[in-house]
Amino acid sequence: MIPLSLKKYLLLIVPLAYIFLGSYSHQLIGLYSLRAGDPEFIYYISGLSLANGKFMLGHIDNPGTPLQYLAAFVFRGVYALRSHQAPFNHDVLANPDMYLHVLNLILTTVVAFFVYFAGKTLLRISNNLTYSVLLQLSPFFTSIIFLNVGRVVPENLMPVPVMLLSLLLLYLYYQPEDEQYRKHSIWFGLISAFGLSIKLTYFPLWIIPLIVIKSWKNKLIYSGTAIVSFFVMALPVTF
């Protein structure tokens, strides 16, 4: 029998491995400016636009809005920590690879944090270490994610809503006596909106809550929450 304290430490293995893989992959890729412009520099410009408060973006087809928001916050944060006299836009445009490098590091760290959070939460719900580690391996289930871990692409954020959706489904499985269906419908809607704001390929997963949620009233609550929340989260698409 593995002690609970040891299980929590074991749940650090996958997140740390993900960070190591991201750092190693990024070193192999090298400078983004010498490799390619799509999609790194598309999100570089979109993030800079959002950092300046401009929501009318030219690139919304993914739509990749969470990555654009993250880029804006990272750029502003990096600029605030730098010692220089150059204006914000000049500094970002003069050092694109440095800003993109930090963005990739933060992106990898955010996903690794959610990997640990998902594993720890499922361990608390199910007390099953195997299931918890299996959920943590979500970023490695498809090559489009783990082979691009060193890049700045919206697909790298996709494991976050997938793990949140899995956690909510597993919570309902292990806690069937919890009858707060309206609350669950709202959470399903928020997660679905977040997933679709990252990549439109998340759309098929919108069907799963419609199957799980029991009454038509709660199905409508889920659908309304998902649609409205999507247009709120993906403001560049809305505008």
Side-chain angles (χ1 to χ4, degrees):
M1 187 69 177
I2 303 176
L4 180 60
S5 58
L6 180 57
K7 289 182 179 179
K8 292 181 179 179
Y9 283 113
L10 292 175
L11 292 176
L12 286 170
I13 295 176
V14 176
L16 292 177
Y18 185 82
I19 292 177
F20 172 79
L21 178 63
S23 300
Y24 180 68
S25 177
H26 184 82
Q27 292 299 321
L28 292 178
I29 290 173
L31 299 177
Y32 293 118
S33 59
L34 298 179
R35 185 181 187 277
D38 181 9
E40 280 79 11
F41 278 85
I42 293 176
Y43 286 98
Y44 165 72
I45 295 299
S46 298
L48 180 59
S49 298
L50 283 178
N52 285 288
K54 298 179 180 179
F55 288 87
M56 296 290 289
L57 304 180
H59 180 69
I60 57 171
D61 54 311
N62 280 316
T65 310
L67 180 56
Q68 294 166 340
Y69 289 150
L70 182 62
F73 283 116
V74 169
F75 291 174
R76 281 293 180 181
V78 172
Y79 178 77
L81 295 175
R82 283 169 57 78
S83 177
H84 49 69
Q85 300 298 324
F88 172 68
N89 288 338
H90 291 185
D91 191 66
V92 176
L93 291 173
N95 302 280
D97 287 296
M98 186 271 292
Y99 277 90
L100 285 172
H101 173 77
V102 178
L103 176 58
N104 173 260
L105 177 63
I106 298 298
L107 175 61
T108 304
T109 304
V110 168
V111 176
F113 169 80
F114 271 96
V115 167
Y116 178 72
F117 166 80
K120 187 176 180 181
T121 302
L122 183 54
L123 180 63
R124 185 174 67 250
I125 295 173
S126 66
N127 196 31
N128 190 307
L129 181 61
T130 302
Y131 290 169
S132 302
V133 174
L134 186 62
L135 179 62
Q136 286 188 317
L137 293 173
S138 297
F140 302 98
F141 287 169
T142 172
S143 60
I144 198 173
I145 295 177
F146 68 79
L147 290 182
N148 286 317
V149 66
R151 302 186 63 192
V152 178
V153 294
E155 286 85 355
N156 289 350
L157 281 172
M158 191 59 76
V160 176
V162 171
M163 287 187 291
L164 290 175
L165 176 63
S166 301
L167 281 175
L168 187 52
L169 291 171
L170 290 167
Y171 172 79
L172 295 178
Y173 174 78
Y174 283 103
Q175 306 291 334
E177 71 279 359
D178 189 344
E179 298 181 355
Q180 300 184 54
Y181 300 119
R182 178 176 297 182
K183 180 185 71 174
H184 299 149
S185 300
I186 293 174
W187 277 114
F188 273 126
L190 293 174
I191 294 170
S192 296
F194 178 55
L196 196 64
S197 69
I198 296 174
K199 195 81 172 180
L200 295 179
T201 49
Y202 185 89
F203 185 75
L205 296 182
W206 276 40
I207 301 173
I208 296 177
L210 289 174
I211 298 174
V212 175
I213 297 172
K214 295 183 177 180
S215 70
W216 281 105
K217 179 181 179 180
N218 289 317
K219 292 179 191 290
L220 290 175
I221 292 175
Y222 158 71
S223 301
T225 302
I227 294 172
V228 172
S229 299
F230 169 75
F231 286 109
V232 172
M233 295 179 185
L235 282 179
V237 177
T238 305
F239 288 140

